């Protein structure tokens, strides 16, 4: 039985998957918010530029973007490529920021104008209205679509293998090449467990926010 | 001296002139009902008084002090407008309660924010917040909701939500309380409880501007009625003058349509 060595190798690969997952989230969540402000800007050129950017990023495969980020610098500019993991993170962060920006935008635009106006006539400042009135409503609105997107991210991390980053599926594949099928299923269990935990977490957050309705 | 004086108020949205020069005044303790068909500019007038829209032209004075002068060159900072609009309170057609806060918190929230600007807030924090809460409890009691303090808006009926909204507007002690069709979003059986609260405010001589489609209510509760049509004040006077002896043809036509139903 090679159960233990397979487990250790898969864990190593899963560690890479987790690194991609966490760093992508940490950077794309705030970046997405900035992009969403751009796409809602009253300054039309900025708005159109941002929306075009979001269209391109959402309209092309992440795998393609990944390859462009990794091979682009060398083939286009003749400079050194990013380290593999860095290239993966750059592509993932930009891609997910674009998706998150649309979620933020729908959440922010979904707050009825009357909520802002009620705050205004009560003499609140813009920042008071944002933090004390609309923010919670935006959060409540965006949790379900965010949960979807974040669970998709867990599985998208496997795309990193196209530039030979040894994430968990690539590791499992090395065993399959040697004639073992079960490490593939075993890799699937890691994803299932991770997504299961995330699902529980998001359910908890949704339940915490269920005391009010928007 | 009138509490509120409006002179030559004009507002246009793009090519459409919505207010074409509105004049009226209101004495302390008076209730003014504004009637007129949809699109006549009633709501825009209220929104201009509350600075949700900025009038293009005209003057708004409160207690003899000019607080707004429209026209070229007058620009106001957010902070100035914020201070000026505290002369007015506004009760919206759709209540616009904050869904994530209880009835009590809806009433106290703005007061708490404003209290932070007081110089003695740091030293007397607890006392001040207790006073604000005490006031909010009294107001919710006044609108008949002392048993709903901890309810969230979605747990309340429309009529109850609107009564919370009235308490919320009263909490900042505005000089003039404005109502924008306060019962239009309510089921008929719920309008009564809201009208009753407004009526009791009128009995306590609260200065009010009420935009309404409830003619009987306008007649009962107001000291003065203003009929608007196409961005103008067509006719104004006591409820008896307007409802029993309207001078203008347009007023008569409007009232006939209402009485016909």
């Amino acid at each position: 039985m090679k159960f233990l060595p397979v487990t250790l190798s898969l864990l190593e690969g899963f560690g890479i998957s987790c690194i991609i997952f966490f760093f992508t989230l940490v950077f794309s969540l705030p970046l997405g918010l900035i992009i969403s402000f751009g796409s809602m800007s009253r300054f039309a050129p900025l708005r159109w530029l941002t929306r075009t950017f979001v269209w391109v990023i959402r309209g092309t495969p992440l795998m393609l973007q990944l390859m462009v980020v990794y091979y682009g610098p060398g083939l286009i500019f003749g400079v050194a490529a990013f380290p593999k993991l860095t290239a993966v993170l750059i592509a993932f962060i930009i891609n997910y920021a674009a998706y998150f920006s649309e979620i933020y935008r729908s959440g922010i635009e979904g707050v009825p104008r009357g909520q802002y106006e009620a705050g205004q006539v009560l003499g609140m400042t813009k920042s008071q209205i944002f933090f004390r009135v609309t923010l919670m409503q935006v959060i409540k609105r965006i949790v379900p679509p965010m949960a979807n997107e974040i669970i998709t991210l867990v599985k998208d991390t496997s795309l990193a293998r196209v530039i030979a980053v040894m994430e968990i599926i690539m590791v499992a594949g090395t065993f399959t090449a040697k004639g073992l099928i079960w490490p593939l299923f075993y890799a699937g269990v890691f994803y299932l467990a991770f997504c299961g935990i995330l699902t529980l977490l998001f359910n908890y957050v949704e339940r915490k926010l269920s005391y009010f309705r928007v | 001296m009138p509490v509120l004086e409006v002179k030559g108020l004009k507002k246009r949205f793009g090519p459409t002139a919505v207010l074409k020069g509105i004049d009226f005044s209101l004495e302390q303790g008076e209730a003014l009902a504004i009637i007129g068909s949809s699109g006549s500019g009633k709501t825009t007038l209220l929104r201009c008084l509350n600075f949700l829209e900025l009038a293009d032209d005209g003057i708004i004075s409160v207690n003899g002090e000019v607080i707004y002068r429209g026209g070229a060159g007058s620009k106001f900072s957010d902070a100035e407008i914020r201070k000026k609009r505290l002369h007015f309170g506004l009760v919206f057609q759709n209540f616009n309660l904050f869904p994530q806060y209880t009835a009590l918190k809806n009433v106290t929230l703005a007061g708490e924010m404003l209290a932070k600007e007081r110089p003695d807030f740091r030293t007397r924090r607890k006392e001040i917040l207790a006073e604000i809460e005490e006031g909010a409890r009294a107001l919710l009691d006044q609108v008949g909701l002392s048993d709903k303090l901890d309810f969230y808006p979605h747990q309340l009926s429309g009529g109850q939500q609107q009564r919370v909204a009235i308490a919320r507007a009263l909490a900042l002690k505005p000089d003039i309380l404005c109502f924008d069709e306060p019962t239009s979003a309510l089921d008929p059986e719920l309008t009564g409880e809201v009208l009753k609260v407004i009526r009791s405010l009128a009995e306590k001589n609260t200065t009010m501007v009420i935009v309404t489609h409830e003619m009987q209510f306008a007649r009962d509760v107001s000291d003065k009625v203003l009929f608007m049509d196409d961005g103008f004040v067509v006719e104004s006077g006591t409820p008896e003058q307007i409802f029993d002896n309207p001078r203008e043809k347009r007023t008569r036509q409007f009232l006939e349509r209402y009485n016909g139903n």
Side-chain angles (χ1 to χ4, degrees), chain B residues 85-182:
Chain B
R85 60 161 51 109
L86 288 175
H87 290 291
F88 298 90
L90 177 60
V91 174
F92 296 86
Q93 186 176 341
N94 325 308
F95 334 133
N96 289 336
L97 290 182
F98 305 133
Q100 72 269 43
Y101 295 122
T102 62
L104 183 63
K105 187 72 182 178
N106 262 280
V107 180
T108 58
L109 184 68
E112 291 167 5
M113 304 281 104
L114 286 170
K116 284 182 188 164
E117 292 168 23
R118 286 169 54 165
D120 58 346
F121 184 72
R122 281 196 163 183
T123 47
R124 294 186 50 233
R125 191 166 182 276
K126 276 210 166 130
E127 270 172 84
I128 291 173
L129 292 181
E131 275 167 32
I132 291 171
E133 186 178 325
E134 205 47 51
R137 284 174 186 275
L139 284 169
L140 284 165
D141 187 44
Q142 191 185 330
V143 298
L145 291 173
S146 49
D147 56 337
K148 306 284 186 199
L149 298 177
D150 298 324
F151 283 54
Y152 287 90
H154 76 272
Q155 297 168 315
L156 300 171
S157 72
Q160 290 167 336
Q161 288 188 52
Q162 191 61 302
R163 282 145 66 197
V164 175
I166 293 172
R168 182 174 72 172
L170 284 168
L172 297 182
K173 302 189 176 66
D175 296 313
I176 300 130
L177 184 55
C178 302
F179 292 85
D180 184 13
E181 301 184 24

Side-chain angles (χ1 to χ4, degrees), chain A residues 113-115 117-126 128 132-134 136-137 210-214, chain B residues 47 50 52 78 82 85-86 90 92 96-101 105 109-110 113 116 152 154 168 172:
Chain A
R113 218 174 96 188
Q115 291 290 311
E117 293 184 345
Q120 284 175 348
V121 297
L122 290 166
M124 293 187 197
T125 62
K126 276 183 182 158
Q128 285 169 347
R132 304 302 297 269
V133 176
T134 55
M136 276 302 267
Q137 299 178 43
S210 68
Y211 67 90
F212 72 98
R213 289 197 197 141
V214 288
Chain B
R47 290 174 64 83
N50 285 277
L52 290 175
D78 280 359
R82 206 162 64 78
R85 60 161 51 109
L86 288 175
L90 177 60
F92 296 86
N96 289 336
L97 290 182
F98 305 133
Q100 72 269 43
Y101 295 122
K105 187 72 182 178
L109 184 68
M113 304 281 104
K116 284 182 188 164
Y152 287 90
H154 76 272
R168 182 174 72 172
L172 297 182

